[in-house]
């Protein structure tokens, strides 16, 4: 069963624009992570935000976490064609289980 | 440093046949995961190992799926017999701590059952 739900399911933007993806979850978490998956490849870890953190940055990535609303967002600024991929949020709950959402398919058009 | 290695990358079999997937995690990573990923969906955990011990296998369909991690290093996931619905990508991942943090994934093994 999936704990997280990403929104939107698909997103298409032009190069240089910002892309925002949202993730909602159901139960209390220890941390929330975002991963990227290029077509036909494995997942690559992007960023981890702990339950006591509200915002985190890594290069062109900005992640926010609102535990009261049980939601997170991933912002990619100044997107590039190479950012085209599926993006998944994953929540770690008690017992150290990491559960992934359904993902957002991002297409960045050159 | 070598990443997580999985084999085979692709496997096509007929239903009712057995199939096995192999995973070699990153050296020194004690925690190993097997995930199943259906097309267009997120990965779903099948089993998690801490060294040789399966600490979370509640989502592994034990009637036909089995896994082992002898000596706490590489791991094998087996399906016997395979069904049409088992067609999916089987992902292996490893991490340095059972308190999670970053998971490192292999490229996956894509199974097609005819």
């Amino acid at each position: 069963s999936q704990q997280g739900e990403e929104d939107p399911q698909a997103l298409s933007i032009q190069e240089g624009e910002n892309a925002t993806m949202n993730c909602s979850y159901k139960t209390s978490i220890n941390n929330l992570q975002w991963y990227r998956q290029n077509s036909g490849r494995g997942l690559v870890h992007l960023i981890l935000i702990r339950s006591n953190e509200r915002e985190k940055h890594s290069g062109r990535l900005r992640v926010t976490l609102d535990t009261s609303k049980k939601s997170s967002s991933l912002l990619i600024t100044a997107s590039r064609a190479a950012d085209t991929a599926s993006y998944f949020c994953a929540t770690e709950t008690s017992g150290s289980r990491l559960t992934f959402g359904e993902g957002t398919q991002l297409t960045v058009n050159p | 440093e070598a990443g997580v290695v999985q084999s085979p990358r692709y496997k096509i079999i007929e239903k009712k046949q057995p199939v096995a997937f192999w995973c070699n995690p990153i050296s020194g990573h004690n925690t190993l995961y097997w995930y199943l990923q259906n097309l267009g969906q997120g990965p779903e955990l099948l089993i998690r190992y801490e060294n040789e011990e399966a600490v979370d296998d509640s989502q592994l369909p034990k009637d036909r799926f089995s896994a082992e991690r002898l000596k706490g290093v590489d791991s094998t996931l087996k399906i016997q017999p395979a069904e049409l619905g088992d067609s999916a990508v089987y992902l292996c991942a490893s991490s340095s701590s059972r308190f999670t943090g970053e998971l490192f994934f292999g490229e996956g093994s894509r199974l097609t059952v005819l």
Side-chain angles (χ1 to χ4, degrees), chain A residues 1-2 31 33 35 37 40-43 45 48 88 92 95-102, chain B residues 9 35 37 40-44 48 56 58-59 91 98-103 105-107:
Chain A
S1 62
Q2 304 290 346
N31 66 61
Q33 304 178 34
Y35 287 79
Q37 185 178 37
R41 309 296 296 274
L43 282 77
H45 181 265
L48 179 153
F88 296 91
E92 184 194 333
S96 301
R97 175 178 288 190
L98 193 64
T99 305
F100 288 82
E102 300 284 350
Chain B
R9 281 296 316 268
Y35 281 87
Q37 186 176 27
Q41 298 185 19
E44 298 178 46
R48 173 167 62 95
D56 186 350
S58 59
Q59 298 185 111
L91 293 163
R98 79 176 185 91
F99 296 106
T100 319
E102 178 178 359
L103 265 61
F105 280 84
E107 298 284 11

Side-chain angles (χ1 to χ4, degrees), chain B residues 66-107:
Chain B
S66 64
E68 61 182 14
R69 192 185 183 196
L70 300 177
K71 301 181 182 179
V73 181
D74 54 354
S75 175
T76 302
L77 177 70
K78 297 178 181 178
I79 308 174
Q80 183 171 8
E83 297 179 351
L84 294 176
D86 296 331
S87 295
V89 176
Y90 293 83
L91 293 163
C92 179
S94 68
S95 67
S96 59
S97 168
R98 79 176 185 91
F99 296 106
T100 319
E102 178 178 359
L103 265 61
F104 294 82
F105 280 84
E107 298 284 11

Side-chain angles (χ1 to χ4, degrees), chain B residues 13-59:
Chain B
I13 61 172
E14 294 190 347
K15 62 181 180 182
K16 300 185 181 179
Q17 294 299 305
V19 63
F21 305 110
W22 175 81
C23 173
N24 190 32
I26 291 174
S27 177
H29 280 192
N30 296 326
T31 309
L32 184 146
Y33 311 76
W34 283 103
Y35 281 87
L36 175 154
Q37 186 176 27
N38 288 304
L39 186 65
Q41 298 185 19
E44 298 178 46
L45 180 68
L46 290 173
I47 190 168
R48 173 167 62 95
Y49 283 94
E50 296 295 335
N51 299 303
E52 318 72 59
E53 182 183 1
V55 296
D56 186 350
D57 65 353
S58 59
Q59 298 185 111

